[in-house]
Amino acid sequence: MSTTPQGIHSLAFRVMRLCKPSFHVEPPFRLDPSDLFVGEDIFDDPLAASNLSPLLSSHVNKSTDSSDMTFANRFLLHHPSDAMGFSGLLVLPQSFGAIYLGETFCSYISINNSSNFEVKDVIIKAEIQTERERILLLDTSKSPVGTIHAGGHYDFIVEHDVKELGAYTMVCTALYNDGDGERKYLPQFFKFVVANPLSVRTKVRTVKETTYLEACIENHTKSNLYVDQVEFEPAPYWTAKILKADELYPADNSSTGEIVKPPILVRSGGGIHNYLYQMKISSPGSEQVKAKRSSILGKLQISWRTNLGEPGRLQTQQILGTPSSCKEIELHVLGIPSLIILDKPFSVHLNLTNHTDRELGPFEVWLSKNSAHEKFVMFNGLQTMALPAVEAFGSTDFHLNLVATKLGVQRISGLIVFDTIEKKTFEPLADVEVGIMLYVFL
């Protein structure tokens, strides 16, 4: 759609979109010549078929005579493939057509002089305007077109990678000297809309330390899409492997191991294809903590071609997952004696880890007395233990001296860690069960 300003101008812009042609399909009304004389049932009788074969062959040879210029044999079925209606011809686009995100918009622009006078010093500009930006495609200010003769024209081609959805306006302007020497300004506007060729729906599931990402690609165009590549780019500290149904083990997403990878057909009008990725955190230590706290998993790079090879490429926004909860401090049991004797002291080896980006502590550690159940494992000696400060993303090891007062399987529970600076209490350790035995010494 174009808009031309008021006034009389010698010049006018004509815009044609450059894209691949389409197949020319004729209505499949062709028929076998033998059907004009007899029905197809005649060949069920071998005797009748043998008598009519010379007659039919002579008629076919006569009707296919190359000297016949009356097109009388135009609808004859010379080959079974003729019934499909494909004539072997290609048709140039008859309209602007649909423009999709990720494609390259290519346009042939001609500026015509429809007056009886030549115009001089023509400065031509072409730009694309969207809701967010303006992109200059052509500017001849530094080298104006010297002269366009009466009835003449000046042609050029512009290209633009479509990266934004919505309404577009291509603005073509010309500044020129008319036949009477008057300097004139001609703007023309050509509007079109960019649609989304496909949609990507994702599902994220986390099982223990592994995250699974399912991506469903759906085709919204009126033509088939041949997907050349769907590559997942994981966020920092993550690794991704694509899982395929026909493979016993996961294949690395970055290396296919194939020289030529056949494209995947996603049919027009709602065809879909699914991909499944297995993701794990690759970096240990503090970087692993950052990855757990972040909800960003990565993004998809998708490239495809249409029926006649027109390329397209899209990059999705960052795909978000569910961030893993991570405590500020965490306790891990590193060692418990294999033999614990009733009323005899024993030592438990623990590790205190700081998961924050700041220093925490010093700390005090004790066993809580507020419990619904009576405790039979308690501190041996001082009831409070002091620990030094722990640097950001650092850790420290320490030992607790405990004693058990009852036989059987008992729990070490209610361990409290108190930050003496922030006046904050943590309970980072789950209950640990230990077996208490009684030894009699003779």
Side-chain angles (χ1 to χ4, degrees), residues 248-406:
L248 182 61
Y249 299 103
D252 193 340
N253 183 51
S254 60
S255 59
T256 61
E258 300 178 2
I259 299 177
V260 179
K261 188 175 181 180
I264 295 174
L265 172 62
V266 183
R267 298 191 179 277
S268 60
I272 62 174
H273 194 82
N274 294 289
Y275 294 84
L276 181 62
Y277 296 91
Q278 182 189 73
M279 302 184 62
K280 292 185 178 181
I281 298 175
S282 60
S283 302
S286 62
E287 305 302 343
Q288 182 176 3
V289 176
K290 292 179 182 179
K292 283 185 177 181
R293 289 184 175 178
S294 174
S295 61
I296 299 177
L297 299 179
K299 53 189 176 182
L300 285 168
Q301 297 275 4
I302 307 170
S303 61
W304 68 88
R305 293 185 179 273
T306 58
N307 289 331
L308 291 173
E310 290 181 295
R313 183 182 181 186
L314 279 182
Q315 176 181 284
T316 66
Q317 296 180 344
Q318 295 286 1
I319 298 173
L320 304 180
T322 303
S324 303
S325 59
C326 187
K327 300 177 181 179
E328 290 185 299
I329 66 171
E330 192 170 4
L331 273 177
H332 296 282
V333 178
L334 301 182
I336 296 179
S338 58
L339 179 63
I340 300 175
I341 303 174
L342 181 67
D343 295 329
K344 294 291 184 179
F346 64 94
S347 178
V348 176
H349 187 190
L350 299 173
N351 173 269
L352 176 65
T353 302
N354 178 7
H355 287 317
T356 69
D357 56 359
R358 66 186 189 280
E359 183 181 79
L360 294 179
F363 299 98
E364 290 182 352
V365 181
W366 67 81
L367 286 176
S368 173
K369 296 180 180 179
N370 298 326
S371 177
H373 303 283
E374 186 178 358
K375 289 185 172 61
F376 299 103
V377 177
M378 57 191 65
F379 269 41
N380 180 43
L382 295 175
Q383 299 301 299
T384 300
M385 182 178 183
L387 293 179
V390 182
E391 63 182 5
F393 301 113
S395 64
T396 183
D397 290 0
F398 63 98
H399 291 79
L400 287 182
N401 290 319
L402 305 175
V403 63
T405 61
K406 187 177 180 180

Side-chain angles (χ1 to χ4, degrees), residues 125-168:
K125 291 184 179 181
E127 64 180 11
I128 288 285
Q129 295 182 2
T130 68
E131 296 180 356
R132 298 181 180 179
E133 59 182 346
R134 301 175 65 174
I135 304 101
L136 186 64
L137 304 179
L138 176 73
D139 187 358
T140 65
S141 300
K142 295 183 179 180
S143 56
V145 179
T147 302
I148 300 180
H149 298 284
H153 57 88
Y154 177 81
D155 305 332
F156 56 94
I157 295 175
V158 294
E159 292 184 353
H160 172 65
D161 292 333
V162 181
K163 299 179 180 180
E164 185 178 336
L165 290 171
Y168 278 65

Side-chain angles (χ1 to χ4, degrees), residues 53-101:
S53 293
L55 176 62
L56 294 176
S57 60
S58 63
H59 177 78
V60 169
N61 293 334
K62 180 179 179 181
S63 62
T64 57
D65 186 4
S66 60
S67 62
D68 183 8
M69 303 300 292
T70 63
F71 298 98
N73 63 340
R74 179 178 181 180
F75 298 104
L76 299 184
L77 189 67
H78 304 301
H79 190 274
S81 63
D82 293 342
M84 299 173 61
F86 288 103
S87 63
L89 302 178
L90 296 176
V91 180
L92 292 175
Q94 303 300 304
S95 62
F96 215 66
I99 301 175
Y100 293 104
L101 189 69

